Amino acid sequence: MIARHFRRALEDTLANRFVNAVTIMTIALTVMIVSAAVLVFLNAGDWMSAWQQGTRIMAYLRPAAGGAAPALRHSIESIEGVHKAQFIPRDEALHDLKARMEHPASLFENLLENPLPDAFEIQLKPSNDSWEQIEAVAGRVRSLAEVEDVEYGRQWIVAVRRVAHLFQTLGLALLGLLLVAAIAIVANTTRLVIYSRQDEVEIMRLVGATERFIQAPFLIEGLLQGLIGAVGGIAILFAAFSALAVRIDQNGLAGVVTLRFLSLEQMALITMASMLVGWLGCYVALKQFLKL
Amino acid sequence: MTDREDRPAIIRLSHVHHAYGPYQALTDLNFEIFKNELAFICGPSGAGKTTLLRLLYAEARPSSGEIAIDGSRLGDIARTGLPLLRRKFGVIFQDYKLIPGRSVFENVALVLEAAGHRRALIPRRVLNVLRMVGMDHHADTLPIRLSGGEQQRVAVARAVVGDPKIILADEPTGNLDEASAQAVMDLLHVAFIRGATVLIATHDKAFIQRLGGRIFHLKQGRLAAFERVEKHHDRTAL
């Protein structure tokens, strides 16, 4: 029976080429926009992770606390998530600073004493580099009595997080709108198809067909529209992505900007969601027209 | 009005009324059709023949009164139970009601597919019936390419393919030439001989006289009279 419904759905899809093509193009466009948004989020996430991996926490010690450096180092390294803590004596820090400056003489000549504090440069374990963990480690380091201040680019992190969160919210809202629009368009086109085949539906009823028998091909059509739309949308996006990747490569940015496309699992998930949209659109139309 | 027989009734109408808005289409119909009976509903256009048939296969519900089909009261049958009820019928519609986008074979096979028959058995059965109505060579043709008589024969094939208990025919020879009308009549008679109850709405007196059976005369939606006509023009008023 399922094979029969599938055959019927395929035949009906071909018979109503124009209407189905409109539906499929709508779904493809929706899939493309949604997938593009997912792609941007994924790659942005990758870049942020890569940036986070370089995060160091600097702990500046109170004056005269440098003497307790070995014990303090042990305390810091025992904090969960800390990979390594390197003590930087204030003299070494000043020396490094002078070495980095192009014209140190004018700046450091009149310096009566070293203004820099002793410090620890703390490296985090790679698996503990999320925003929350960085903040947690920084908080625990700051709570140590010998530590006067901690610096880890917090303000920058917060700003980036806010922007990311805003994009995520906007993205989700856009996604919701697109899905509703896609379902509405599929429902409308299905309504057109059902309307044009109302006599056929009525005849089927009169010869004893159940509602399920009548509806099954329509619902399968919806699934097929979703499937074809998803494949089309992802294919177009892949073509655009490949073109962008080539352009990046040509501009010599391949080592700077790394891009990745959707994984097979993500593509499968998007395809299934698209099929669900197709099915749901048909279901809504059938519910109104055939009074499910 | 009743006509007592030993056979059980397969169609029973009790005080059936039906109105389309202010227009009273049927008024207080009371009669029974027995199992394996050949019966006719006669009357001029607008007498209520088609409306009566529509009520029988539950395309419409009576405004009041009760209809029982094969022991089941239609009023008690839920919407979900209608397909099972309709599978008891083979209906030949006045306007054929063939699906234009499907071939002759598909139109006839639809009844068996809808009833959940095994897919492997459907082609043989459909082709047998199409052969019987002389349309097997048009199995792949779309109905729109057929003449009225040919379409009517396909409609007959669709009505009989599922071996229904009851065949309802609405003016089955209405627009047909003599030869096509004769062929349709023969097919309905064969179905009757094979055990089906056949109820035909017609005003074709020649048709009735050739087949014979009970006749219910409708006039302005009321059962005005009924009579039994024997085959070969042997007419006996009851």
Side-chain angles (χ1 to χ4, degrees), chain A residues 1 4 7-8 200 203-206 208-211 213 290-291, chain B residues 57 59 79 83 86-87 93 97 99 102 106 110 113-114 116 119 158:
Chain A
M1 191 58 86
R4 182 230 169 247
R7 188 172 50 85
R8 188 81 261 150
E200 180 179 335
I203 291 167
M204 288 167 83
R205 277 185 176 149
L206 292 177
T210 59
E211 295 300 299
F213 181 90
L290 304 181
K291 297 184 181 71
Chain B
Y57 60 80
E59 192 184 356
R79 206 178 130 81
R86 286 175 177 155
R87 286 175 205 166
F93 301 94
K97 286 203 191 304
I99 300 173
R102 300 204 191 178
E106 288 172 323
L110 176 65
E113 288 173 349
R119 194 167 160 70
R158 186 182 60 189

PDB file of all heavy atoms in Angstrom, chain A residues 1 4 7-8 200 203-206 208-211 213 290-291, chain B residues 57 59 79 83 86-87 93 97 99 102 106 110 113-114 116 119 158:
ATOM      1  N   MET A   1       0.830  -1.210   0.000  1.00  0.00           N
ATOM      2  CA  MET A   1       0.000   0.000   0.000  1.00  0.00           C
ATOM      3  C   MET A   1       0.873   1.273   0.000  1.00  0.00           C
ATOM      4  O   MET A   1       0.576   2.224  -0.713  1.00  0.00           O
ATOM      5  CB  MET A   1      -0.913  -0.016   1.231  1.00  0.00           C
ATOM      6  CG  MET A   1      -2.002   1.037   1.203  1.00  0.00           C
ATOM      7  SD  MET A   1      -3.110   0.979  -0.204  1.00  0.00           S
ATOM      8  CE  MET A   1      -4.320  -0.196   0.360  1.00  0.00           C
ATOM      9  N   ARG A   4       2.200   1.929  -3.355  1.00  0.00           N
ATOM     10  CA  ARG A   4       1.148   2.488  -4.205  1.00  0.00           C
ATOM     11  C   ARG A   4       0.996   4.001  -3.961  1.00  0.00           C
ATOM     12  O   ARG A   4       0.901   4.787  -4.893  1.00  0.00           O
ATOM     13  CB  ARG A   4      -0.181   1.782  -3.906  1.00  0.00           C
ATOM     14  CG  ARG A   4      -1.320   2.261  -4.760  1.00  0.00           C
ATOM     15  CD  ARG A   4      -2.532   2.608  -3.922  1.00  0.00           C
ATOM     16  NE  ARG A   4      -3.494   3.298  -4.769  1.00  0.00           N
ATOM     17  CZ  ARG A   4      -3.842   4.561  -4.632  1.00  0.00           C
ATOM     18  NH1 ARG A   4      -3.345   5.288  -3.663  1.00  0.00           N
ATOM     19  NH2 ARG A   4      -4.707   5.116  -5.434  1.00  0.00           N
ATOM     20  N   ARG A   7       3.965   5.786  -5.482  1.00  0.00           N
ATOM     21  CA  ARG A   7       3.833   5.875  -6.939  1.00  0.00           C
ATOM     22  C   ARG A   7       2.826   6.983  -7.277  1.00  0.00           C
ATOM     23  O   ARG A   7       3.054   7.820  -8.132  1.00  0.00           O
ATOM     24  CB  ARG A   7       3.369   4.523  -7.480  1.00  0.00           C
ATOM     25  CG  ARG A   7       3.383   4.434  -9.002  1.00  0.00           C
ATOM     26  CD  ARG A   7       3.108   3.002  -9.444  1.00  0.00           C
ATOM     27  NE  ARG A   7       1.928   2.432  -8.804  1.00  0.00           N
ATOM     28  CZ  ARG A   7       0.683   2.598  -9.250  1.00  0.00           C
ATOM     29  NH1 ARG A   7       0.455   3.265 -10.342  1.00  0.00           N
ATOM     30  NH2 ARG A   7      -0.339   2.049  -8.610  1.00  0.00           N
ATOM     31  N   ARG A   8       1.715   6.959  -6.552  1.00  0.00           N
ATOM     32  CA  ARG A   8       0.664   7.951  -6.772  1.00  0.00           C
ATOM     33  C   ARG A   8       1.209   9.373  -6.534  1.00  0.00           C
ATOM     34  O   ARG A   8       0.975  10.291  -7.322  1.00  0.00           O
ATOM     35  CB  ARG A   8      -0.480   7.644  -5.804  1.00  0.00           C
ATOM     36  CG  ARG A   8      -1.726   8.407  -5.965  1.00  0.00           C
ATOM     37  CD  ARG A   8      -2.611   7.870  -7.036  1.00  0.00           C
ATOM     38  NE  ARG A   8      -2.452   8.629  -8.277  1.00  0.00           N
ATOM     39  CZ  ARG A   8      -2.612   8.135  -9.479  1.00  0.00           C
ATOM     40  NH1 ARG A   8      -2.897   6.866  -9.640  1.00  0.00           N
ATOM     41  NH2 ARG A   8      -2.474   8.880 -10.543  1.00  0.00           N
ATOM     42  N   GLU A 200     -11.815  14.533  -7.842  1.00  0.00           N
ATOM     43  CA  GLU A 200     -11.137  13.250  -7.691  1.00  0.00           C
ATOM     44  C   GLU A 200     -11.243  12.744  -6.250  1.00  0.00           C
ATOM     45  O   GLU A 200     -11.539  11.571  -6.003  1.00  0.00           O
ATOM     46  CB  GLU A 200      -9.669  13.431  -8.088  1.00  0.00           C
ATOM     47  CG  GLU A 200      -8.840  12.184  -7.994  1.00  0.00           C
ATOM     48  CD  GLU A 200      -7.406  12.434  -8.427  1.00  0.00           C
ATOM     49  OE1 GLU A 200      -7.175  13.380  -9.212  1.00  0.00           O
ATOM     50  OE2 GLU A 200      -6.532  11.676  -7.970  1.00  0.00           O
ATOM     51  N   ILE A 203     -14.742  11.554  -5.658  1.00  0.00           N
ATOM     52  CA  ILE A 203     -14.996  10.246  -6.280  1.00  0.00           C
ATOM     53  C   ILE A 203     -14.361   9.141  -5.440  1.00  0.00           C
ATOM     54  O   ILE A 203     -14.961   8.088  -5.206  1.00  0.00           O
ATOM     55  CB  ILE A 203     -14.449  10.228  -7.729  1.00  0.00           C
ATOM     56  CG1 ILE A 203     -15.285  11.168  -8.612  1.00  0.00           C
ATOM     57  CG2 ILE A 203     -14.463   8.810  -8.306  1.00  0.00           C
ATOM     58  CD1 ILE A 203     -14.673  11.479  -9.964  1.00  0.00           C
ATOM     59  N   MET A 204     -13.154   9.403  -4.972  1.00  0.00           N
ATOM     60  CA  MET A 204     -12.473   8.397  -4.147  1.00  0.00           C
ATOM     61  C   MET A 204     -13.293   8.091  -2.898  1.00  0.00           C
ATOM     62  O   MET A 204     -13.428   6.944  -2.484  1.00  0.00           O
ATOM     63  CB  MET A 204     -11.070   8.873  -3.771  1.00  0.00           C
ATOM     64  CG  MET A 204     -10.121   8.836  -4.953  1.00  0.00           C
ATOM     65  SD  MET A 204      -8.603   9.717  -4.658  1.00  0.00           S
ATOM     66  CE  MET A 204      -7.669   8.507  -3.797  1.00  0.00           C
ATOM     67  N   ARG A 205     -13.836   9.144  -2.308  1.00  0.00           N
ATOM     68  CA  ARG A 205     -14.690   8.936  -1.126  1.00  0.00           C
ATOM     69  C   ARG A 205     -15.902   8.086  -1.484  1.00  0.00           C
ATOM     70  O   ARG A 205     -16.289   7.185  -0.737  1.00  0.00           O
ATOM     71  CB  ARG A 205     -15.170  10.275  -0.594  1.00  0.00           C
ATOM     72  CG  ARG A 205     -14.169  10.940   0.299  1.00  0.00           C
ATOM     73  CD  ARG A 205     -14.780  12.191   0.866  1.00  0.00           C
ATOM     74  NE  ARG A 205     -13.870  12.805   1.815  1.00  0.00           N
ATOM     75  CZ  ARG A 205     -13.806  14.101   2.031  1.00  0.00           C
ATOM     76  NH1 ARG A 205     -14.592  14.919   1.380  1.00  0.00           N
ATOM     77  NH2 ARG A 205     -12.963  14.585   2.907  1.00  0.00           N
ATOM     78  N   LEU A 206     -16.504   8.392  -2.625  1.00  0.00           N
ATOM     79  CA  LEU A 206     -17.739   7.698  -2.993  1.00  0.00           C
ATOM     80  C   LEU A 206     -17.506   6.224  -3.312  1.00  0.00           C
ATOM     81  O   LEU A 206     -18.428   5.421  -3.210  1.00  0.00           O
ATOM     82  CB  LEU A 206     -18.399   8.401  -4.195  1.00  0.00           C
ATOM     83  CG  LEU A 206     -18.951   9.793  -3.897  1.00  0.00           C
ATOM     84  CD1 LEU A 206     -19.514  10.440  -5.148  1.00  0.00           C
ATOM     85  CD2 LEU A 206     -20.029   9.736  -2.814  1.00  0.00           C
ATOM     86  N   GLY A 208     -15.504   4.406  -1.641  1.00  0.00           N
ATOM     87  CA  GLY A 208     -15.167   3.715  -0.394  1.00  0.00           C
ATOM     88  C   GLY A 208     -13.744   3.892   0.096  1.00  0.00           C
ATOM     89  O   GLY A 208     -13.275   3.115   0.931  1.00  0.00           O
ATOM     90  N   ALA A 209     -13.059   4.910  -0.432  1.00  0.00           N
ATOM     91  CA  ALA A 209     -11.689   5.137   0.045  1.00  0.00           C
ATOM     92  C   ALA A 209     -11.733   5.814   1.416  1.00  0.00           C
ATOM     93  O   ALA A 209     -12.572   6.690   1.649  1.00  0.00           O
ATOM     94  CB  ALA A 209     -10.944   6.033  -0.943  1.00  0.00           C
ATOM     95  N   THR A 210     -10.854   5.388   2.292  1.00  0.00           N
ATOM     96  CA  THR A 210     -10.793   6.016   3.615  1.00  0.00           C
ATOM     97  C   THR A 210     -10.072   7.364   3.492  1.00  0.00           C
ATOM     98  O   THR A 210      -9.371   7.607   2.505  1.00  0.00           O
ATOM     99  CB  THR A 210     -10.004   5.148   4.612  1.00  0.00           C
ATOM    100  OG1 THR A 210      -8.694   4.976   4.072  1.00  0.00           O
ATOM    101  CG2 THR A 210     -10.654   3.804   4.833  1.00  0.00           C
ATOM    102  N   GLU A 211     -10.240   8.189   4.501  1.00  0.00           N
ATOM    103  CA  GLU A 211      -9.567   9.493   4.489  1.00  0.00           C
ATOM    104  C   GLU A 211      -8.051   9.295   4.433  1.00  0.00           C
ATOM    105  O   GLU A 211      -7.337  10.032   3.764  1.00  0.00           O
ATOM    106  CB  GLU A 211      -9.949  10.307   5.730  1.00  0.00           C
ATOM    107  CG  GLU A 211     -11.416  10.681   5.785  1.00  0.00           C
ATOM    108  CD  GLU A 211     -11.885  11.516   4.601  1.00  0.00           C
ATOM    109  OE1 GLU A 211     -11.372  12.618   4.413  1.00  0.00           O
ATOM    110  OE2 GLU A 211     -12.752  11.036   3.848  1.00  0.00           O
ATOM    111  N   PHE A 213      -6.427   6.855   3.066  1.00  0.00           N
ATOM    112  CA  PHE A 213      -6.073   6.450   1.710  1.00  0.00           C
ATOM    113  C   PHE A 213      -5.996   7.675   0.793  1.00  0.00           C
ATOM    114  O   PHE A 213      -5.100   7.784  -0.043  1.00  0.00           O
ATOM    115  CB  PHE A 213      -7.137   5.474   1.196  1.00  0.00           C
ATOM    116  CG  PHE A 213      -6.896   4.959  -0.194  1.00  0.00           C
ATOM    117  CD1 PHE A 213      -6.158   3.804  -0.413  1.00  0.00           C
ATOM    118  CD2 PHE A 213      -7.436   5.616  -1.291  1.00  0.00           C
ATOM    119  CE1 PHE A 213      -5.950   3.325  -1.693  1.00  0.00           C
ATOM    120  CE2 PHE A 213      -7.230   5.149  -2.575  1.00  0.00           C
ATOM    121  CZ  PHE A 213      -6.489   3.999  -2.779  1.00  0.00           C
ATOM    122  N   LEU A 290      -9.946  18.757   3.758  1.00  0.00           N
ATOM    123  CA  LEU A 290     -10.570  17.437   3.858  1.00  0.00           C
ATOM    124  C   LEU A 290     -11.114  17.166   5.247  1.00  0.00           C
ATOM    125  O   LEU A 290     -11.590  16.079   5.527  1.00  0.00           O
ATOM    126  CB  LEU A 290      -9.567  16.342   3.470  1.00  0.00           C
ATOM    127  CG  LEU A 290      -8.945  16.490   2.081  1.00  0.00           C
ATOM    128  CD1 LEU A 290      -7.997  15.324   1.804  1.00  0.00           C
ATOM    129  CD2 LEU A 290     -10.002  16.521   1.007  1.00  0.00           C
ATOM    130  N   LYS A 291     -11.011  18.154   6.108  1.00  0.00           N
ATOM    131  CA  LYS A 291     -11.533  18.032   7.474  1.00  0.00           C
ATOM    132  C   LYS A 291     -11.044  16.765   8.133  1.00  0.00           C
ATOM    133  O   LYS A 291     -11.788  15.840   8.405  1.00  0.00           O
ATOM    134  CB  LYS A 291     -13.047  18.073   7.470  1.00  0.00           C
ATOM    135  CG  LYS A 291     -13.593  19.379   6.954  1.00  0.00           C
ATOM    136  CD  LYS A 291     -15.104  19.404   7.067  1.00  0.00           C
ATOM    137  CE  LYS A 291     -15.652  20.708   6.533  1.00  0.00           C
ATOM    138  NZ  LYS A 291     -15.544  20.834   5.097  1.00  0.00           N
TER     139      LYS A 291
ATOM    140  N   TYR B  57     -26.329   5.976  -0.524  1.00  0.00           N
ATOM    141  CA  TYR B  57     -24.892   5.734  -0.329  1.00  0.00           C
ATOM    142  C   TYR B  57     -24.248   6.822   0.536  1.00  0.00           C
ATOM    143  O   TYR B  57     -23.037   7.006   0.544  1.00  0.00           O
ATOM    144  CB  TYR B  57     -24.153   5.503  -1.648  1.00  0.00           C
ATOM    145  CG  TYR B  57     -24.197   6.614  -2.663  1.00  0.00           C
ATOM    146  CD1 TYR B  57     -23.361   7.721  -2.553  1.00  0.00           C
ATOM    147  CD2 TYR B  57     -25.042   6.534  -3.754  1.00  0.00           C
ATOM    148  CE1 TYR B  57     -23.385   8.731  -3.487  1.00  0.00           C
ATOM    149  CE2 TYR B  57     -25.082   7.545  -4.704  1.00  0.00           C
ATOM    150  CZ  TYR B  57     -24.258   8.644  -4.570  1.00  0.00           C
ATOM    151  OH  TYR B  57     -24.288   9.642  -5.503  1.00  0.00           O
ATOM    152  N   GLU B  59     -24.113  10.024   0.593  1.00  0.00           N
ATOM    153  CA  GLU B  59     -23.458  11.244   0.135  1.00  0.00           C
ATOM    154  C   GLU B  59     -24.149  12.435   0.804  1.00  0.00           C
ATOM    155  O   GLU B  59     -23.568  13.500   0.972  1.00  0.00           O
ATOM    156  CB  GLU B  59     -23.518  11.373  -1.388  1.00  0.00           C
ATOM    157  CG  GLU B  59     -22.591  12.478  -1.886  1.00  0.00           C
ATOM    158  CD  GLU B  59     -22.658  12.731  -3.372  1.00  0.00           C
ATOM    159  OE1 GLU B  59     -23.370  12.000  -4.085  1.00  0.00           O
ATOM    160  OE2 GLU B  59     -21.988  13.672  -3.822  1.00  0.00           O
ATOM    161  N   ARG B  79     -18.627   9.165  10.619  1.00  0.00           N
ATOM    162  CA  ARG B  79     -17.929   9.566   9.391  1.00  0.00           C
ATOM    163  C   ARG B  79     -16.842   8.559   9.017  1.00  0.00           C
ATOM    164  O   ARG B  79     -16.658   8.224   7.848  1.00  0.00           O
ATOM    165  CB  ARG B  79     -17.286  10.924   9.657  1.00  0.00           C
ATOM    166  CG  ARG B  79     -17.061  11.763   8.465  1.00  0.00           C
ATOM    167  CD  ARG B  79     -16.458  13.082   8.947  1.00  0.00           C
ATOM    168  NE  ARG B  79     -15.277  13.392   8.170  1.00  0.00           N
ATOM    169  CZ  ARG B  79     -15.309  13.940   6.973  1.00  0.00           C
ATOM    170  NH1 ARG B  79     -16.449  14.218   6.410  1.00  0.00           N
ATOM    171  NH2 ARG B  79     -14.198  14.213   6.335  1.00  0.00           N
ATOM    172  N   PRO B  83     -16.576   4.790   4.644  1.00  0.00           N
ATOM    173  CA  PRO B  83     -15.921   4.000   3.592  1.00  0.00           C
ATOM    174  C   PRO B  83     -16.378   2.537   3.584  1.00  0.00           C
ATOM    175  O   PRO B  83     -16.625   1.968   2.523  1.00  0.00           O
ATOM    176  CB  PRO B  83     -14.433   4.120   3.933  1.00  0.00           C
ATOM    177  CG  PRO B  83     -14.329   5.422   4.634  1.00  0.00           C
ATOM    178  CD  PRO B  83     -15.591   5.546   5.430  1.00  0.00           C
ATOM    179  N   ARG B  86     -19.754   2.341   2.062  1.00  0.00           N
ATOM    180  CA  ARG B  86     -19.760   2.593   0.618  1.00  0.00           C
ATOM    181  C   ARG B  86     -19.163   1.436  -0.172  1.00  0.00           C
ATOM    182  O   ARG B  86     -19.439   1.285  -1.359  1.00  0.00           O
ATOM    183  CB  ARG B  86     -19.026   3.897   0.313  1.00  0.00           C
ATOM    184  CG  ARG B  86     -19.875   5.088   0.705  1.00  0.00           C
ATOM    185  CD  ARG B  86     -19.175   6.376   0.532  1.00  0.00           C
ATOM    186  NE  ARG B  86     -20.073   7.483   0.867  1.00  0.00           N
ATOM    187  CZ  ARG B  86     -19.658   8.665   1.269  1.00  0.00           C
ATOM    188  NH1 ARG B  86     -18.379   8.912   1.377  1.00  0.00           N
ATOM    189  NH2 ARG B  86     -20.525   9.611   1.557  1.00  0.00           N
ATOM    190  N   ARG B  87     -18.355   0.631   0.496  1.00  0.00           N
ATOM    191  CA  ARG B  87     -17.810  -0.533  -0.215  1.00  0.00           C
ATOM    192  C   ARG B  87     -18.871  -1.596  -0.450  1.00  0.00           C
ATOM    193  O   ARG B  87     -18.657  -2.552  -1.191  1.00  0.00           O
ATOM    194  CB  ARG B  87     -16.630  -1.123   0.565  1.00  0.00           C
ATOM    195  CG  ARG B  87     -15.399  -0.256   0.457  1.00  0.00           C
ATOM    196  CD  ARG B  87     -14.285  -0.754   1.309  1.00  0.00           C
ATOM    197  NE  ARG B  87     -13.380   0.340   1.648  1.00  0.00           N
ATOM    198  CZ  ARG B  87     -12.456   0.286   2.578  1.00  0.00           C
ATOM    199  NH1 ARG B  87     -12.293  -0.830   3.276  1.00  0.00           N
ATOM    200  NH2 ARG B  87     -11.682   1.319   2.825  1.00  0.00           N
ATOM    201  N   PHE B  93     -22.894   6.581 -11.689  1.00  0.00           N
ATOM    202  CA  PHE B  93     -23.413   7.948 -11.625  1.00  0.00           C
ATOM    203  C   PHE B  93     -23.868   8.407 -13.002  1.00  0.00           C
ATOM    204  O   PHE B  93     -23.333   7.976 -14.030  1.00  0.00           O
ATOM    205  CB  PHE B  93     -22.325   8.893 -11.109  1.00  0.00           C
ATOM    206  CG  PHE B  93     -21.811   8.527  -9.747  1.00  0.00           C
ATOM    207  CD1 PHE B  93     -20.687   7.724  -9.594  1.00  0.00           C
ATOM    208  CD2 PHE B  93     -22.460   8.977  -8.603  1.00  0.00           C
ATOM    209  CE1 PHE B  93     -20.219   7.378  -8.342  1.00  0.00           C
ATOM    210  CE2 PHE B  93     -21.985   8.637  -7.340  1.00  0.00           C
ATOM    211  CZ  PHE B  93     -20.872   7.832  -7.210  1.00  0.00           C
ATOM    212  N   LYS B  97     -18.657  10.132 -13.331  1.00  0.00           N
ATOM    213  CA  LYS B  97     -17.692  10.415 -12.251  1.00  0.00           C
ATOM    214  C   LYS B  97     -16.419   9.571 -12.377  1.00  0.00           C
ATOM    215  O   LYS B  97     -16.002   8.899 -11.433  1.00  0.00           O
ATOM    216  CB  LYS B  97     -18.331  10.208 -10.877  1.00  0.00           C
ATOM    217  CG  LYS B  97     -19.309  11.306 -10.478  1.00  0.00           C
ATOM    218  CD  LYS B  97     -19.462  11.379  -8.997  1.00  0.00           C
ATOM    219  CE  LYS B  97     -20.614  12.260  -8.547  1.00  0.00           C
ATOM    220  NZ  LYS B  97     -20.578  13.631  -9.043  1.00  0.00           N
ATOM    221  N   ILE B  99     -12.314   9.610 -12.931  1.00  0.00           N
ATOM    222  CA  ILE B  99     -11.239  10.569 -12.663  1.00  0.00           C
ATOM    223  C   ILE B  99     -10.515  10.847 -13.987  1.00  0.00           C
ATOM    224  O   ILE B  99      -9.937   9.925 -14.572  1.00  0.00           O
ATOM    225  CB  ILE B  99     -10.271  10.024 -11.594  1.00  0.00           C
ATOM    226  CG1 ILE B  99     -11.040   9.765 -10.293  1.00  0.00           C
ATOM    227  CG2 ILE B  99      -9.125  10.993 -11.366  1.00  0.00           C
ATOM    228  CD1 ILE B  99     -10.243   9.070  -9.220  1.00  0.00           C
ATOM    229  N   ARG B 102      -6.747   9.823 -14.721  1.00  0.00           N
ATOM    230  CA  ARG B 102      -6.319   8.430 -14.536  1.00  0.00           C
ATOM    231  C   ARG B 102      -6.886   7.559 -15.652  1.00  0.00           C
ATOM    232  O   ARG B 102      -8.000   7.804 -16.127  1.00  0.00           O
ATOM    233  CB  ARG B 102      -6.797   7.909 -13.184  1.00  0.00           C
ATOM    234  CG  ARG B 102      -6.246   8.728 -12.043  1.00  0.00           C
ATOM    235  CD  ARG B 102      -6.224   7.934 -10.791  1.00  0.00           C
ATOM    236  NE  ARG B 102      -5.940   8.785  -9.649  1.00  0.00           N
ATOM    237  CZ  ARG B 102      -5.908   8.347  -8.415  1.00  0.00           C
ATOM    238  NH1 ARG B 102      -6.164   7.080  -8.168  1.00  0.00           N
ATOM    239  NH2 ARG B 102      -5.639   9.156  -7.422  1.00  0.00           N
ATOM    240  N   GLU B 106      -6.870   2.386 -14.117  1.00  0.00           N
ATOM    241  CA  GLU B 106      -6.683   2.975 -12.778  1.00  0.00           C
ATOM    242  C   GLU B 106      -8.018   3.358 -12.139  1.00  0.00           C
ATOM    243  O   GLU B 106      -8.188   3.209 -10.928  1.00  0.00           O
ATOM    244  CB  GLU B 106      -5.780   4.211 -12.870  1.00  0.00           C
ATOM    245  CG  GLU B 106      -4.332   3.866 -13.135  1.00  0.00           C
ATOM    246  CD  GLU B 106      -3.480   5.093 -13.410  1.00  0.00           C
ATOM    247  OE1 GLU B 106      -3.974   6.035 -14.061  1.00  0.00           O
ATOM    248  OE2 GLU B 106      -2.316   5.105 -12.977  1.00  0.00           O
ATOM    249  N   LEU B 110      -9.108   1.533  -8.701  1.00  0.00           N
ATOM    250  CA  LEU B 110      -9.208   2.377  -7.504  1.00  0.00           C
ATOM    251  C   LEU B 110     -10.110   1.751  -6.433  1.00  0.00           C
ATOM    252  O   LEU B 110      -9.792   1.785  -5.240  1.00  0.00           O
ATOM    253  CB  LEU B 110      -9.741   3.760  -7.914  1.00  0.00           C
ATOM    254  CG  LEU B 110      -9.997   4.748  -6.781  1.00  0.00           C
ATOM    255  CD1 LEU B 110      -8.689   5.117  -6.095  1.00  0.00           C
ATOM    256  CD2 LEU B 110     -10.674   6.002  -7.307  1.00  0.00           C
ATOM    257  N   GLU B 113      -8.161  -0.996  -4.769  1.00  0.00           N
ATOM    258  CA  GLU B 113      -7.050  -0.440  -3.976  1.00  0.00           C
ATOM    259  C   GLU B 113      -7.593   0.193  -2.698  1.00  0.00           C
ATOM    260  O   GLU B 113      -7.042   0.001  -1.613  1.00  0.00           O
ATOM    261  CB  GLU B 113      -6.293   0.618  -4.791  1.00  0.00           C
ATOM    262  CG  GLU B 113      -5.466   0.022  -5.911  1.00  0.00           C
ATOM    263  CD  GLU B 113      -4.850   1.082  -6.816  1.00  0.00           C
ATOM    264  OE1 GLU B 113      -5.240   2.259  -6.700  1.00  0.00           O
ATOM    265  OE2 GLU B 113      -3.998   0.721  -7.638  1.00  0.00           O
ATOM    266  N   ALA B 114      -8.687   0.939  -2.855  1.00  0.00           N
ATOM    267  CA  ALA B 114      -9.281   1.625  -1.692  1.00  0.00           C
ATOM    268  C   ALA B 114      -9.782   0.612  -0.668  1.00  0.00           C
ATOM    269  O   ALA B 114      -9.748   0.867   0.534  1.00  0.00           O
ATOM    270  CB  ALA B 114     -10.418   2.526  -2.140  1.00  0.00           C
ATOM    271  N   GLY B 116      -8.374  -2.130  -0.070  1.00  0.00           N
ATOM    272  CA  GLY B 116      -7.221  -2.821   0.493  1.00  0.00           C
ATOM    273  C   GLY B 116      -6.987  -4.217  -0.079  1.00  0.00           C
ATOM    274  O   GLY B 116      -6.387  -5.062   0.585  1.00  0.00           O
ATOM    275  N   ARG B 119      -2.353  -6.215  -3.937  1.00  0.00           N
ATOM    276  CA  ARG B 119      -1.937  -5.541  -5.176  1.00  0.00           C
ATOM    277  C   ARG B 119      -1.744  -6.531  -6.328  1.00  0.00           C
ATOM    278  O   ARG B 119      -2.086  -6.230  -7.475  1.00  0.00           O
ATOM    279  CB  ARG B 119      -0.615  -4.817  -4.874  1.00  0.00           C
ATOM    280  CG  ARG B 119      -0.239  -3.829  -5.899  1.00  0.00           C
ATOM    281  CD  ARG B 119       0.882  -2.935  -5.399  1.00  0.00           C
ATOM    282  NE  ARG B 119       1.547  -2.321  -6.532  1.00  0.00           N
ATOM    283  CZ  ARG B 119       1.012  -1.396  -7.306  1.00  0.00           C
ATOM    284  NH1 ARG B 119      -0.210  -0.986  -7.077  1.00  0.00           N
ATOM    285  NH2 ARG B 119       1.676  -0.883  -8.318  1.00  0.00           N
ATOM    286  N   ARG B 158     -16.397  -0.252 -12.984  1.00  0.00           N
ATOM    287  CA  ARG B 158     -15.966   0.198 -11.654  1.00  0.00           C
ATOM    288  C   ARG B 158     -17.004  -0.184 -10.595  1.00  0.00           C
ATOM    289  O   ARG B 158     -16.657  -0.534  -9.468  1.00  0.00           O
ATOM    290  CB  ARG B 158     -15.756   1.720 -11.654  1.00  0.00           C
ATOM    291  CG  ARG B 158     -15.164   2.244 -10.351  1.00  0.00           C
ATOM    292  CD  ARG B 158     -15.012   3.738 -10.361  1.00  0.00           C
ATOM    293  NE  ARG B 158     -16.301   4.399 -10.539  1.00  0.00           N
ATOM    294  CZ  ARG B 158     -16.443   5.697 -10.760  1.00  0.00           C
ATOM    295  NH1 ARG B 158     -15.391   6.472 -10.857  1.00  0.00           N
ATOM    296  NH2 ARG B 158     -17.647   6.229 -10.906  1.00  0.00           N
TER     297      ARG B 158
END
